[in-house]
């Protein structure tokens, strides 16, 4: 036990994917200064195909430990373990210094990378040596985004007797989940399970709901953030509006309804949907005649409450002070117009899954009947109850996902929601033929495989083969596929096509990440502090992420993550202190902490 | 009866230029987006599968790679960037090598040095002939004309015909495709149709210009071949033949120039991945047309006697073309593709009979 | 119970939601004529602030002691109106809602019929409320300590999250060491991080944490008590340990499927057929060797062993596809010339970074082969010496349509996961239910994935259903969050609409004990009567309906109240009266 342990360091080639490349020469220089490190290797020094050769190098340098440093050093770890055994050493002494794991894989993180290296060489856990300083915490919390993740996080904290500001960009909370008809695999009505939670948020004494607001600036630090919020002019007084609906009846302007995924029109003064929280009207300034040119104003005239509608209201800026911030901004769906071959936008009865959810919902334009999109007298494309029902529908998986040409990632929920839609079609149109075209059927969760088996039994034709083209011939849509398992070409005639569009990061996600100082990964999702052990914290103290903005996931996983983010907030409140940002730690600080642990 | 999988076939085909074949995760997009696929004729995914699994016999028996006209739609839309278009091209090169009984096609595809040595040897050979004949232009031209004739016959009988028969063996006989006499008769018609029109290309999207360029090159080349070899273009005094020769020669070198520029510019999907054999093929065709054109021009303007080097160059190019590129290079696609399209019909007919029997 | 019943009735328009199908004004007018109804009003939006103001003012002005609101579903606004009553000084249970939106306006198309039905429902509510009683809210204190059962990654994460907040945790682990399944593996997917470097710091932190007491080699037989006030006893090394705590987190994880039950795979018979866990051992040891001690040239990996097949387990085990891809990468690193064959059914690479990992693995010359995991499993047999390999696998490969033979020197079976052997015992001990696959059932599969119907008991990680490390940790923290919130709040409200036994009428038949789904009724041996634990009781009414003597009374759902409700429904005459 008296002999000193000698460690060899191997630097992997930086992997592609990240715009900033780690400065390996600088890291190697830093590593050369370590005590007990007689040799530093680079990826060009020897091939990683001959374990015997590596073993010889280990023996010749009398090493008893190897540190592999790189973005994902585990990719080469196995041959080093093998080499250690061949050299007569303990294979457990292969340590990984993973830059990506600890968020140090960008050049700006080079000090962090050095810290990762230092800890690995010393043999101390990185998290233990990077305990940031703590600061007193303001017990109020900001939750950005009022979808199910934000709602869950807010309720967890508010039920713990703490104040929460829930800031939501649109006029109501509810997010995408409010738009769904039924949820898989239980086939619960989405609105029925969501609206009680929305009402709870709206009524909770500890939650200050700020809808139609956006976060525009941030100063301060962990535990003490000053957040600038833009309160967009709703032009309708939240306190006095009684929701009678007379204004919307007389409003002359219309615009596509965001809640209905654009398949219906709503007025310029509107409530997004009947169960909206707050259940008050809002004016869409972009489509209001008065805002445009000062004319109209009939809503004011009709409104029975004096002073309730103020068409001249201006946006306001307010500031709030909070100790913690939870980001739950969700996602947007892929726009299939980008894929010319699918004819979206060209053929009226090719629609996205969200559009179909609204169509099949009882509150949709056809009261839940599945009918064709047809033109009305003015030439608008609309859904009506009378336009006849399709006899065959195709559901196309992986639109915009798992595709090097668009989004490389898998959107995780589309397989299940596609099966759900097939089921709903069969429920409403039992005689309709439903064809599902998939690549891999990802039915992985609790009850999901059973649901898949159930749909198979319902007579849905489930075919492995990615749809390549959708064309029109004689009024029918032709879906062109290879039916791989049956070894035939499919040119299926259908009446309607549902494109299972994938999820992607919101367009403003990158800007928000910069404002908060958090990172995004190569797909654009917010980056967590540690993929395995900490998917809600970030490298910025006091800022946590939850829900799909961190990566695609279904409702149960989103809810769990929302609550997990709340846990860290509650922890800081109970401790009366919040942990600072890891990225603010200096290299010297990390080295000190590591030495103390040794 | 189970076939053993063979992970080494991939390593073999990699030598023919394939790239990223294993990224394919069998979504079937390529087969579905292709305009030339139809019931019973499915590609390129099935070929990629046979390749990944090392099913060599299945791959050698497939004629589908020849149905592909490399429009590149599959590569453009492939979600894994597995480049099925270039993979089909590599399979075609591998099949060319497989059909060839001499093994030289395989050698030239896999080894660029071997190809270059071959070119140099042939050039030396022609030079030697010229030297033996004392560079007398009439003697050499007479020899050259005879050479063209005998070259065609020997290449045809010794290499091309046996290779076509081998192709027939691999694709029809070995997999036991049983088709009626009637379908064989029909197949002949198909053969000549596609050989001279390449009309199937038009089924692909946005390939009209490319089809036209290619068609003019083919017709020009065939015309030039007939006019120089059988109508003795360099020796004749018949004005009609002379002008016809200029026209066909001109078609050849002008349109191959366009194809060359296309390959340099890499705009079309088909031109993105060029192997040395692709360059040799199109450059030599260009030079053939150009030098032939110039030789006759020199003859007509009386310059040839003092510029006999031009004819020597032409003869060298011709010899390299006829000895290396035609039997062992890309030229063979002209025959293999045309025969493949007729064999496909045999397979489809046999399949129909099988399906009717089963019904 | 006050003698004079003064009922206020409010009929809501709900904008046009109700009013377009129900003539609310007429209903209000008609109801006002019923006995004991002091006032009956109609209003556009009862749940709004002005609507609630209306109720509060009327209570004070007209001295109302009961309020009926006919509007939307009580699930939406019962709490709202109960609070309004409290604000006006009334007991919140002197309130009843009649649902004339979801039950009438939203489901009917004939205005006349709808109005009649609405009128009947309101009359029913009015009749019922005459028999309502004041019920007092009940809260219980919360013991801030937490019991965590299971020392795997989920248990460790939950323990640390709570302990780092300054609260006490008791961590009980049935084996002799902490770490669970993560301690058995080498690397994690998809970024190939070291599992050891992940779990060891956590184990060390937990073992040395001032707020955590770790009990190894112990199992829990029974947890007594109710939310906020639990206790348990067990013995450790001969010593009796008694613990008191307010919340329980069950994080008992899963075990792997034993593939010896699958004949065609030859596990246990053919020596170099190993399970994924056994392969992880090899990877940790740095040596991938066949049972004969040689390095394999061909390795086959088979997915879905014991999963996605009704003969074994119908469910998907969720993580095996990614682990298989991880293995393929590791094999290629250790033995670059090895041929890797991956036999799968569907490639479930759905997580963050996982599809990209699948793409990267594909490019490494791994041969992927597809089989039917339900109908057509591959057949593994020992090979003959002339075959050039140790094992041959016959597969009907679906992507090519060919029947093929795969040579292998080693086969790795990606075994599925299943409930622990003692899953039933733990479930019984803490009072949680199990589903058909023996996973623990959460309170709501979508909106409450970690809480259970037993207040104060949470299920997290694999024992709730198979999942990977990130999702297990998320669930652990979610449970911690709920517990921390409850602790911070200080107390927990418990259901007051519970059952109560009239001891004089109880005949001691114990039928109620056997039917109670919450194990809330106990038989008192001395008094020979049943006793309801009012904290555990959820007021479902099952006991009341089975009691042969009528000794059990469900508060707020008494026979009198329900029968009056029915009478109210039937009493109102069919035709709409003249108003």
């Amino acid at each position: 036990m008296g002999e000193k342990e000698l460690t060899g360091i191997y630097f992997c080639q930086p992997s592609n994917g990240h715009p900033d490349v780690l400065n390996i020469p600088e890291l190697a220089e830093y590593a050369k200064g370590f005590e007990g490190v007689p040799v530093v290797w680079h990826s060009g020094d020897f091939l990683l195909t001959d374990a015997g050769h590596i073993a010889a190098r280990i023996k010749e340098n009398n090493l008893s430990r190897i540190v592999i440093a790189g973005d994902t050093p585990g990719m080469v770890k196995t041959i080093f373990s093998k080499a250690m055994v061949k050299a007569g050493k303990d294979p457990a002494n292969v340590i990984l210094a993973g830059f990506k794991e600890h968020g140090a894989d960008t050049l700006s993180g080079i000090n962090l990378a050095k810290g990762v290296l230092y800890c690995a060489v010393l043999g101390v856990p990185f998290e233990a040596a990077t305990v940031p300083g703590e600061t007193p915490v303001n017990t109020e919390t900001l939750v950005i985004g009022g979808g199910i993740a934000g709602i869950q996080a807010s309720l967890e904290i508010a039920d713990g007797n703490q104040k929460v500001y829930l800031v939501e960009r649109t006029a109501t909370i509810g997010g995408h989940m409010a738009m769904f008809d039924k949820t898989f695999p239980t086939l619960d009505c989405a609105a029925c399970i969501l609206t009680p939670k929305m009402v709870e948020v709206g009524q909770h004494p500890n939650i200050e709901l700020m809808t139609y607001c956006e976060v525009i600036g941030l100063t301060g630090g962990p535990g003490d953030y000053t957040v600038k919020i833009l309160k967009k002019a709703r032009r309708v007084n939240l306190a006095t509006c009684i929701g009678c609906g007379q204004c919307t009846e007389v409003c002359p302007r219309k615009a596509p309804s965001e809640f209905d995924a654009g398949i219906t029109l709503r007025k310029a003064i509107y409530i997004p949907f009947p169960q909206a929280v707050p259940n008050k009207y809002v004016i869409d300034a972009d489509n209001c005649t008065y805002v445009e040119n000062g004319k109209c104003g009939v809503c004011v005239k009709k409104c029975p409450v004096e002073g309730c509608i103020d068409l001249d209201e201006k946006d306001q800026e307010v500031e709030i002070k909070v100790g913690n911030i939870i980001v739950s901004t969700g996602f947007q769906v892929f726009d299939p117009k980008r894929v010319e071959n699918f004819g979206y936008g060209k053929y009226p009865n090719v629609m996205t899954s969200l559009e179909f959810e609204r169509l099949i919902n009882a509150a949709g334009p056809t009261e839940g009947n599945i009918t064709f999109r047809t033109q009305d007298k003015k030439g608008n494309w609309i859904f009506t109850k009378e336009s006849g029902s399709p006899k065959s529908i195709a559901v196309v998986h992986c639109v915009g996902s798992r595709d090097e040409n668009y989004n490389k990632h898998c959107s995780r929920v589309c397989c299940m929601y596609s099966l759900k839609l097939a089921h709903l079609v069969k429920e409403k149109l039992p005689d309709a033929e439903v064809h599902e075209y998939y690549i891999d059927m990802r039915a992985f969760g609790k009850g999901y495989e059973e649901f898949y088996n159930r749909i198979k039994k319902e007579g849905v034709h489930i075919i492995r083969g990615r749809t390549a083209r959708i064309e029109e011939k004689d009024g029918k849509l032709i879906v062109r596929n290879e039916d791989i398992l049956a070894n035939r070409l499919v040119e299926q005639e259908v009446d309607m096509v549902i494109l299972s569009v994938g999820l992607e990061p919101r367009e403003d996600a990158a800007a928000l990440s910069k404002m908060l100082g958090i990172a995004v990964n190569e797909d654009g999702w917010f980056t967590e502090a540690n993929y395995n052990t900490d998917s809600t914290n970030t490298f910025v103290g006091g800022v946590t992420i939850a829900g799909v903005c961190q990566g695609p996931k279904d409702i149960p996983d989103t809810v769990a993550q929302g609550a997990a983010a709340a846990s860290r907030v509650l922890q800081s409140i109970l401790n009366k202190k919040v942990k600072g940002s890891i990225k603010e730690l200096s290299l010297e600080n990390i080295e000190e902490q590591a030495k103390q642990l040794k | 009866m189970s076939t053993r999988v063979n992970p080494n076939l991939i390593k073999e085909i990699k030598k023919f230029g394939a790239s990223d074949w294993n990224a394919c995760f069998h979504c079937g997009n390529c087969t579905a987006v292709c305009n030339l696929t139809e019931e019973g004729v499915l590609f390129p995914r099935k070929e990629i599968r046979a390749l990944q699994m090392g099913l060599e016999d299945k791959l050698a028996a497939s004629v589908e790679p020849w149905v592909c006209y490399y429009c590149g739609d599959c590569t453009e839309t492939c979600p894994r960037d597995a480049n099925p278009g270039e993979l089909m091209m590599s399979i075609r090169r591998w099949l060319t090598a497989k059909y060839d009984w001499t093994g030289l096609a395989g050698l030239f595809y896999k080894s660029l040095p071997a190809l270059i040595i071959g070119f140099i040897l042939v050039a030396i050979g022609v030079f030697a002939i010229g030297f033996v004949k004392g560079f007398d232009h009439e003697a050499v031209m007479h020899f050259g004309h005879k050479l063209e004739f005998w070259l065609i016959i020997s290449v045809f009988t010794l290499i091309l015909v046996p290779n076509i028969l081998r192709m027939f063996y691999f694709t029809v006989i070995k997999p036991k495709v049983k088709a009626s006499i009637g379908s064989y008769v029909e197949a002949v018609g198909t053969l000549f149709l596609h050989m001279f029109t390449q009309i199937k290309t038009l089924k692909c999207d946005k390939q009209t210009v490319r089809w036209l360029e290619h068609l003019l090159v083919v017709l020009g080349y065939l015309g030039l071949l007939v006019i120089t070899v059988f109508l003795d273009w360099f020796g004749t005094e018949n004005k009609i033949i002379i002008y016809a020769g200029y026209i066909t020669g001109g078609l050849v070198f002008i349109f191959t120039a366009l194809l060359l520029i296309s390959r340099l510019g890499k705009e079309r999907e088909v031109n993105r991945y060029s192997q040395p054999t692709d360059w040799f093929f199109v450059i030599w065709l260009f030079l053939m047309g150009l030098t032939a054109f110039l030789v006759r021009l020199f003859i007509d303007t009386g310059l040839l006697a003092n510029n006999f080097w031009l004819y020597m160059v032409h003869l060298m190019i011709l010899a390299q073309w006829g000895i290396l590129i035609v039997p062992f290079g890309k030229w063979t696609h002209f025959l293999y593709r045309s025969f493949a399209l007729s064999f496909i019909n045999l397979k489809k007919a046999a399949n129909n009979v099988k399906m009717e029997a089963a019904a | 119970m006050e003698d004079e019943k003064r009922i206020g009735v409010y009929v809501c328009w709900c904008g046009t939601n109700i009013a377009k199908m129900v003539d609310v004004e007429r209903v209000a007018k008609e109801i006002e004529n019923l006995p004991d109804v002091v006032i009956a009003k109609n209003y556009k939006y009862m749940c709004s602030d002005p609507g609630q103001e209306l109720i509060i003012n009327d209570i004070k002005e007209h001295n109302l002691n009961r309020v009926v609101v006919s509007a939307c579903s009580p699930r939406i606004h019962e709490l709202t109106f109960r609070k309004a009553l409290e604000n006006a000084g009334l007991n919140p249970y002197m309130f009843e809602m009649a649902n004339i939106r979801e039950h009438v306006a939203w489901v009917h198309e004939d205005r006349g019929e709808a109005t009649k039905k609405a009128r009947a429902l309101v009359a029913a509510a009015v009749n019922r409320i005459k028999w309502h009683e004041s019920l007092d809210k009940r809260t219980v204190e919360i013991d801030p300590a937490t019991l965590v059962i299971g020392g795997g990654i989920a248990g460790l994460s939950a323990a640390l999250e709570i302990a780092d907040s300054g609260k006490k945790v008791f961590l009980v682990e049935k084996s002799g060491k902490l770490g669970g399944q993560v301690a058995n593996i080498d690397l994690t997917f998809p970024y190939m991080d070291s599992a050891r470097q992940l779990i060891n710091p956590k184990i060390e932190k937990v073992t040395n944490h001032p707020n955590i007491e770790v009990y190894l080699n112990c199992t829990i037989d029974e947890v007594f008590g109710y939310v906020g006030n639990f206790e348990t006893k067990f013995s450790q090394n001969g010593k009796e340990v008694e613990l008191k705590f307010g919340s329980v987190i069950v994080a008992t994880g899963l075990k792997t499927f034993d593939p010896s039950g699958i004949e065609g795979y030859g596990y246990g018979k053919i020596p170099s057929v190993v399970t994924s866990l056994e392969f992880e051992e090899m990877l940790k040891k740095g040596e991938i060797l066949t049972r004969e001690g040689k390095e394999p040239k061909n390795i086959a990996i088979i997915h879905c062993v014991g999963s996605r097949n009704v003969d074994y387990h119908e469910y998907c085990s969720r993580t095996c596809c990614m682990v298989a891809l991880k293995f393929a990468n590791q094999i290629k690193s250790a033995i670059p010339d090895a041929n890797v064959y991956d036999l799968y059914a569907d490639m479930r690479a759905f997580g963050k970074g996982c599809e990209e990992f699948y793409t990267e693995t594909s490019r490494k010359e791994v041969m992927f082969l597809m089989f039917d995991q339900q109908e057509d499993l591959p057949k593994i047999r020992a090979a003959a010496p002339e075959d050039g390999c140790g094992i041959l696998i016959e597969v009907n490969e679906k992507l090519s349509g060919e029947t093929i033979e795969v040579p292998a020197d080693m086969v790795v079976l990606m075994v599925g996961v299943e409930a622990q052997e003692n899953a039933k015992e733990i479930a019984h001990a803490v009072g949680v239910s199990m589903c058909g696959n023996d996973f623990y059932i959460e309170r709501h599969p979508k909106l409450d994935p970690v809480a259970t119907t037993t207040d104060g008991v949470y299920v997290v990680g694999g024992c709730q259903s198979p999942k990977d490390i990130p999702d297990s940790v998320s669930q652990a923290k979610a449970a911690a969050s709920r517990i921390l919130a409850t602790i911070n709040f200080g107390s927990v409200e418990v259901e007051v609409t519970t059952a109560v036994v009239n001891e004089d009428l109880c005949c001691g038949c114990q039928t109620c004990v056997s039917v109670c789904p919450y194990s809330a009724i106990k038989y008192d041996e001395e008094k020979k009567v049943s006793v309801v634990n009012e904290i555990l009781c959820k007021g479902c009414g099952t006991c009341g309906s089975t009691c042969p003597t009528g000794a059990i009374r469900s508060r707020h759902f008494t026979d009198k109240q329900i029968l009056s409700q029915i009478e109210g429904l039937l009493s109102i005459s069919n035709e709409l009266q003249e108003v």
Side-chain angles (χ1 to χ4, degrees), chain A residues 549-567:
Chain A
C549 63
Q550 184 262 347
K553 50 182 70 76
D554 52 21
I555 294 169
D557 291 339
T558 301
V559 168
Q561 233 189 16
S567 140

Side-chain angles (χ1 to χ4, degrees), chain C residues 533-554:
Chain C
N533 176 334
E534 300 203 25
I535 311 284
L536 288 176
C537 173
K538 291 260 184 266
C540 69
T542 311
C543 56
S545 55
T546 54
C547 176
T549 58
I552 297 192
R553 203 167 156 273
S554 304

